[in-house]
Amino acid sequence: NVGMKKKNTDKQIEYFPIQFSKTIIWLGVAAILFCLVGIVVSVWRILSFGLPEFMDWLTSPFLIAICAFGIVVIVSIFTKSQLYIEGTILYSQYGIIKSSFNIMEITSIIQDTDEKKLTVYFGESFMNITTSPVWFEKFVRALLDVNSDIKYSFTLTDKADE
C-alpha cells in the first residue's frame, strides 16, 4: 500500500485526573442513594400492586429508567473525569460528557495557591481546573509546550503573624 500514510503515533497523550472536593463526593453518593431508593420503591410498587392502570405503566418503569441512568452518569463522572492533551487540543472529560478547547486560543493561566485550582483564560472566557496540585506544573508545562505565548502566573496570600 504505497498510497497509505502512516499516522504518527509517537506523540504520547498526557492525562491529568480531575480531583473532586469532599462536598462533591458526598453529593454524588447522596444522589446515587436517592436513585437506588427510587428504583427499590418502584420495584416494590410494581411487585405489590402490579401495573393496573395505563399511568402505572408510564410512571414506575420510567422512574426506574431515569434512576438507572442517573446512577450510570454519576458513576461514570467519578470514574472517568480527566483532562488530556492531544496535539493542539485540550480535552475536558467528565464521564460521558466531553468538551474540547483549542490550546492556541489560551491567553493565560493563573494558579490560585490558596484555592488549589488553575484558571485558564481564553480571551474573555475562562474555565477553572481542579486537578491535583501535584499535576499543576506538569499540566501547565504541557500547555506551554503547545502554545508558548500563554502567560502563566500564580497568586500568593501573605499569612498574618499569629
Side-chain angles (χ1 to χ4, degrees):
N1 296 340
V2 177
M4 294 183 67
K5 291 184 178 179
K6 184 179 176 186
K7 287 187 176 182
N8 185 4
T9 57
D10 295 339
K11 182 74 176 160
Q12 292 291 328
I13 299 174
E14 296 190 61
Y15 294 93
F16 304 93
I18 300 292
Q19 179 177 343
F20 293 106
S21 68
K22 289 179 182 171
T23 304
I24 296 297
I25 292 171
W26 281 111
L27 286 173
V29 169
I32 289 172
L33 291 175
F34 185 74
C35 289
L36 288 173
V37 167
I39 291 172
V40 168
V41 168
S42 294
V43 169
W44 174 78
R45 285 182 58 197
I46 291 170
L47 293 176
S48 296
F49 306 111
L51 299 170
E53 297 181 21
F54 179 72
M55 285 304 292
D56 294 330
W57 278 95
L58 292 178
T59 56
S60 293
F62 185 69
L63 181 61
I64 291 171
I66 292 294
C67 290
F69 177 74
I71 291 171
V72 167
V73 168
I74 293 166
V75 168
S76 73
I77 287 173
F78 283 130
T79 58
K80 188 73 172 178
S81 289
Q82 62 189 1
L83 299 164
Y84 64 97
I85 297 170
E86 185 174 3
T88 61
I89 305 296
L90 167 64
Y91 292 97
S92 171
Q93 182 175 7
Y94 292 89
I96 58 176
I97 302 164
K98 187 175 178 182
S99 302
S100 63
F101 306 93
N102 186 345
I103 296 173
M104 301 311 288
E105 295 177 4
I106 297 175
T107 55
S108 64
I109 301 171
I110 299 175
Q111 178 181 342
D112 187 334
T113 55
D114 293 331
E115 297 292 323
K116 296 183 180 143
K117 68 179 179 180
L118 292 173
T119 304
V120 178
Y121 289 92
F122 303 86
E124 295 295 318
S125 61
F126 67 93
M127 75 174 186
N128 289 318
I129 296 175
T130 56
T131 187
S132 173
V134 173
W135 294 104
F136 282 176
E137 185 177 336
K138 187 174 181 184
F139 177 73
V140 171
R141 176 57 43 207
L143 292 174
L144 288 171
D145 286 345
V146 176
N147 181 0
S148 60
D149 293 333
I150 297 173
K151 294 174 182 68
Y152 176 57
S153 61
F154 55 93
T155 61
L156 292 174
T157 304
D158 292 332
K159 304 271 187 207
D161 292 334
E162 294 182 15

